[in-house]
Amino acid sequence: MSLRSAVLDAGYRSVLRPALFRSHGGDPELIHESLIALLGGLNPTARSMLRLLSGRPTSPVTVAGVRFPGRVGVAAGLDKDARAVEAWSALGFGFAELGTVTALAQPGNDKPRLYRLRDSRAIINRMGFNNAGAKAMADRLYELGVQRGELTCGIPLGISLGKSKVTSVADAVPDYVASLRMLAPYADYIAINVSSPNTPGLRSLQEGDLLRDLLSSLTREASQITHPLGPVPIFVKIAPDMSDAQLDHLLGVVADNGGRGIIATNTTLGRDGLAAADRVYADQAGGLSGAPLTARALEVVSRITASTTLPVIGVGGIMTPDDAERMIDAGARLIQLYTGFIYSGTGLVAGINALSLGRTT
Ligand SMILES: Cc1cc2nc3c(=O)[nH]c(=O)nc-3n(C[C@H](O)[C@H](O)[C@H](O)COP(=O)(O)O)c2cc1C
C-alpha cells in the first residue's frame, strides 16, 4: 500500500466514513445524494486540491479505440444523472460510467430501496433506474461542454443505457435507440445495461434473439451518427447469475453483432456470503454487491477472457487493491468500483493506482 493510499484509507475509515454513515439519520440514499451534490458543487480550486490529495490515474490503456488514462473507473449507478461528473477525475478515477439513464425520466422503486450490510461489506439495492431521463443528461453534458473524444472532464465518460420501466420488453429496441441518439455525441463509450435485476423483464434482454435485435439495432444506429472517431463503441453489461452455457451464447451474440466489449458483472440475485448479522437483509428484494460478489465476478471475467478476445471491464466486489490486481490478472482491461468506493473511499482508488500493474497495452 502506498503512503498516500494508507493515509487516505485511515482518514476515510476513522473520520469521514463514521461521520458520513451517521449523517442524514443514517439513511444511505440521502447520504449518497448529499455526497453527489457535494462533489458536483466543488469549484475548480477545490477539485485541484482533491486531485493533489487523491493522486492521478496511472497505467493508461487503450480499449475499443478509447484511450483511458487509468484502469479504475466509476461503476454505473454512482452518478446516475451526471451530477458529479467533473469531480471523478479529481478523485483519481481513470473513467466514469454515468447512468443508468432511461429514455423517459422515472422515479424508480418505492423507498426504502438501498441497504448497507456493514458486516458483509455489501449493499443490497433495488433502486429501479431512478433518473431524470436521457434528455436531461444530454442537456447537462452539453452545458458542461462535454464532447466525445475531448476529455472535457479529464477522463473518458461512458454512458449506461437502460429500458424505461413503462416500456415493454417487446418495445425495448426503440426505447434504447432513442437514448443512444440523444447521448452518443457526449459518450466515449455506451454501455447497454441488460442486467439490472430491478426492472421487471430487463434481464430477458440478455437472451439470444432479444439481445441480437437490440445490439444490432444499436450498432446500426451508432454507425449512422457521423463522428471523426467513427461509431461510438458499445459495451454490454451482464449479470453474474447466468449459467456457463448462457454466458457462452451471449458472448457469441455480442461478438457477432458489433459489441466492442463486456462489462462483467452487475449485482447478483444470490445471497451467499452474508455475515450472520446481515442475514436479516437476505429477503430484501434487489441486487447484492460488494464482498459477497468478489469471487463470482472474477469467475465470470476469467471465463470471458478465456473464451473470447472481447475486452472486459471487470466489476463486482473489488474491495481492495489485491482484488483489483486479481481482476486485471484474470484479463480485465479496465475495472470499476461501486461498493468498494462506498466502504473505502478514495484510498482504494489511490491504492489501485499505486499498484505497479506493469501493463502498458
Ligand atoms: C446502489 C447501486 C445502484 C446501482 N445502479 C446501477 C445502474 O444504474 N446501472 C448499472 O449498470 N449498475 C448499477 N449498479 C451496479 C454496479 O455498477 C456494479 O456493477 C455492482 O454494484 C457490482 O460492483 P461492486 O461490487 O463494486 O458494487 C448499482 C449498484 C448499486 C450498489
Side-chain angles (χ1 to χ4, degrees):
M1 194 185 258
S2 70
L3 182 62
R4 182 198 302 274
S5 64
V7 170
L8 289 171
D9 205 55
Y12 185 75
R13 278 172 204 266
S14 57
V15 184
L16 198 57
R17 188 176 78 181
L20 206 60
F21 282 11
R22 266 199 307 270
S23 64
H24 298 276
D27 178 333
E29 186 168 345
L30 281 180
I31 296 167
H32 185 87
E33 289 302 317
S34 63
L35 191 67
I36 293 294
L38 182 84
L39 289 173
L42 295 178
N43 63 27
T45 312
R47 286 202 298 270
S48 302
M49 286 167 62
L50 203 57
R51 182 168 286 113
L52 277 176
L53 203 66
S54 305
R56 291 180 182 278
T58 54
S59 180
V61 63
T62 299
V63 178
V66 181
R67 182 80 175 154
F68 292 84
R71 305 283 178 114
V72 53
V74 177
L78 253 168
D79 193 4
K80 285 179 186 276
D81 288 315
R83 303 299 335 159
V85 67
E86 293 171 295
W88 298 120
S89 79
L91 288 167
F93 286 104
F95 66 109
E97 190 169 306
L98 309 173
T100 294
V101 76
T102 52
L104 306 171
Q106 56 184 39
N109 290 324
D110 291 342
K111 296 176 187 173
R113 53 193 181 180
L114 179 60
Y115 302 88
R116 230 187 283 114
L117 283 58
R118 295 261 312 252
D119 286 14
S120 313
R121 293 183 299 143
I123 292 174
I124 289 178
N125 93 84
R126 52 170 178 274
M127 304 299 286
F129 294 163
N130 54 306
N131 77 103
K135 169 80 169 64
M137 184 181 284
D139 289 348
R140 163 113 183 107
L141 295 175
Y142 177 81
E143 273 164 32
L144 290 170
V146 170
Q147 284 183 43
R148 181 179 164 210
E150 298 291 323
L151 300 190
T152 319
C153 296
I155 49 175
L157 299 175
I159 300 183
S160 169
L161 308 183
K163 181 183 77 63
S164 310
K165 189 174 183 189
V166 295
T167 303
S168 67
V169 168
D171 293 330
V173 171
D175 192 77
Y176 279 88
V177 167
S179 297
L180 179 86
R181 261 190 216 133
M182 283 187 258
L183 288 164
Y186 310 102
D188 293 292
Y189 72 89
I190 291 286
I192 309 182
N193 182 359
V194 284
S195 48
S196 164
N198 301 315
T199 294
L202 190 85
R203 283 185 170 191
S204 68
L205 291 168
Q206 293 180 122
E207 285 155 24
D209 289 346
L210 289 176
L211 183 61
R212 190 174 297 113
D213 284 355
L214 178 61
L215 188 54
S216 61
S217 303
L218 288 169
T219 49
R220 199 177 321 116
E221 185 65 32
S223 70
Q224 284 163 10
I225 301 169
T226 23
H227 192 281
L229 293 172
V232 62
I234 296 180
F235 285 66
V236 177
K237 182 161 178 183
I238 66 169
D241 306 322
M242 268 184 276
S243 69
D244 287 352
Q246 283 172 315
L247 177 59
D248 293 346
H249 184 68
L250 175 141
L251 295 174
V253 173
V254 173
D256 291 346
N257 290 278
R260 299 289 299 278
I262 302 281
I263 306 169
T265 69
N266 213 313
T267 55
T268 179
L269 288 169
R271 291 292 183 263
D272 289 346
L274 295 187
D278 293 325
R279 294 220 182 97
V280 288
Y281 294 105
D283 291 338
Q284 288 292 346
L288 173 68
S289 58
L293 184 56
T294 312
R296 178 60 187 157
L298 192 64
E299 187 178 39
V300 173
V301 169
S302 304
R303 187 167 181 93
I304 301 169
T305 56
S307 60
T308 78
T309 54
L310 286 166
V312 179
I313 302 180
V315 52
I318 298 177
M319 310 302 286
T320 65
D322 281 351
D323 293 335
E325 193 152 38
R326 275 189 281 273
M327 202 47 121
I328 299 278
D329 286 345
R333 307 292 302 282
L334 296 161
I335 55 174
Q336 294 175 328
L337 308 177
Y338 193 126
T339 308
F341 181 64
I342 302 300
Y343 283 99
S344 295
T346 179
L348 176 57
V349 185
I352 297 173
N353 281 329
L355 290 172
S356 54
L357 294 168
R359 294 168 184 84
T360 50
T361 48

